[in-house]
Amino acid sequence: MPCVFRRAPDAGDLIFCFHGLTLLAMPRFARHRLTAAATLLGLAANVQALDLSGLSKDVQPCDDFYAFVNGNWEAATELPASRARIGSFEQLRQSNDALLEKSLTELADKPSLQTTPGLKLIAAYFSSGMDEAAIEARGLTSITPLLNRIDGLQRREDLPALLALLNRSGIHAPLAFSVQPDRKDTRRNVLSLSQSGLGLPDRDDYFRNDERTRTVSAAYRLFAKTVLAASGRPATDAELDAVIAFETQLAEATRERAKLRDPNASYNPMSPAELAAAAPGVDWSAYLAVLTAGAKLPQRFIVGQPEFATRVAKLAADTPLPVWRQYLALRVLDAAAPRLPKAYATAAFEYRGKTITA
């Protein structure tokens, strides 16, 4: 069937068909643009840059379009052991990474090219990440101050300041924060607090019991056990159960992804007093004081999911401190694992790079 255009039944939209397939509906547009589009698409099969070798000749596109488009490619392509996924976009990324690595290696190897403070910083950062022997030798020194603060948590009233310190260090456990333009007044920036802090990919993974969820949950448990033991904090099965139970309580108060689509539901301006009333059990003023590095406390900020803040406050008041220490240490190790020695990076890849994306 040749390329054809026809008017949609309900009005001025045009339906474009190509080899019998309805591809898209589009509003009426200028005739010269329509002609150009038809010409380009009609010639597409003859353009060498369009690779049709992956299309299946055994599957009809109207029966299974995915298999029609990808069948031959999937049958002929093997996933490398070192990668979690492969595809055209991954190949583009690999090519781009190769170009970047070549440029950065040259920059790091030739100090004469480091003509600005920024270029010197880039060269030093790149070299630090490529020197695997130095990474192994440094061990956990980059995160030792954070781990020491967590190990030293002995009083419940010290928890808010610790959570804020972790936030400022890029650890979203269990809250995440950001500073961004106010969605309803873009002339100013506003502090926002939101739900975070889960080790499984989605809050539903704490409650489903299908085979894939069980596989992911077992992989997360192994990951947690591995990195905690490697850091000198071995966890018993009972202690891991307590951490998972703690995260499950967070998950119960975590909004589902579909509900996060409502921007108004995640826009809840509050003052420190209002947050304290909605989520008693945490000294939010102490939290905000450390989060803002001693600056004047914001009198208005956005709380994305107030019910999650309420749950965090309840856990702050009720959960034994040893569980908090183990949970927070795990979150730090999880966040830093790809840049830590091989034992941590490998564990992170096995869990996040392979099991989750399988």
Side-chain angles (χ1 to χ4, degrees), residues 55-248:
L55 300 183
S56 174
K57 297 181 181 179
D58 301 322
V59 179
Q60 292 299 315
C62 289
D63 294 336
D64 188 339
F65 193 75
Y66 179 87
F68 168 69
V69 172
N70 300 293
N72 287 357
W73 181 85
E74 284 192 336
T77 304
E78 182 177 350
L79 179 66
S82 61
R83 306 200 70 84
R85 63 176 69 88
I86 192 172
S88 57
F89 285 101
E90 286 297 309
Q91 290 168 348
L92 286 172
R93 180 177 178 177
Q94 290 177 51
S95 298
N96 188 57
D97 286 348
L99 290 172
L100 288 172
E101 183 177 356
K102 180 180 178 181
S103 299
L104 291 168
T105 299
E106 184 178 11
L107 177 66
D109 291 345
K110 296 180 179 179
S112 61
L113 298 177
Q114 302 169 23
T115 55
T116 67
L119 289 174
K120 291 179 180 179
L121 185 62
I122 290 171
Y125 183 70
F126 175 73
S127 296
S128 70
M130 298 301 291
D131 190 344
E132 295 185 7
I135 292 173
E136 294 295 325
R138 285 195 298 268
L140 299 181
T141 55
S142 61
I143 58 172
T144 294
L146 291 179
L147 293 174
N148 286 344
R149 287 290 299 269
I150 293 170
D151 292 342
L153 178 64
Q154 300 296 331
R155 301 190 312 157
R156 204 168 290 276
E157 53 265 36
D158 293 332
L159 185 58
L162 176 58
L163 297 183
L165 174 66
L166 294 174
N167 278 171
R168 288 185 57 84
S169 302
I171 311 299
H172 300 155
L175 290 167
F177 90 101
S178 64
V179 176
Q180 55 193 354
D182 190 325
R183 281 178 286 168
K184 296 192 177 182
D185 184 1
T186 55
R187 297 169 299 176
R188 62 181 180 182
N189 290 328
V190 65
L191 170 69
S192 296
L193 304 177
S194 59
Q195 64 189 30
S196 189
L198 301 181
L200 289 173
D202 186 81
R203 55 93 58 203
D204 291 344
D205 293 323
Y206 290 86
F207 310 109
R208 288 190 291 241
N209 194 36
D210 56 89
E211 182 178 356
R212 183 185 182 281
T213 300
R214 291 195 297 270
T215 298
V216 171
S217 297
Y220 175 51
R221 190 181 182 93
L222 177 60
F223 166 75
K225 189 178 185 70
T226 300
V227 296
L228 286 169
S231 72
R233 296 165 178 80
T236 65
D237 287 341
E239 288 171 333
L240 287 175
D241 289 342
V243 170
I244 299 298
F246 177 87
E247 292 188 14
T248 301

Side-chain angles (χ1 to χ4, degrees), residues 8-32:
D10 56 348
D13 285 357
L14 291 170
I15 306 296
F16 173 56
C17 296
F18 182 56
H19 291 291
L21 290 176
T22 300
L23 295 184
L24 67 156
M26 62 190 78
R28 190 187 314 170
F29 48 79
R31 180 173 298 180
H32 71 279

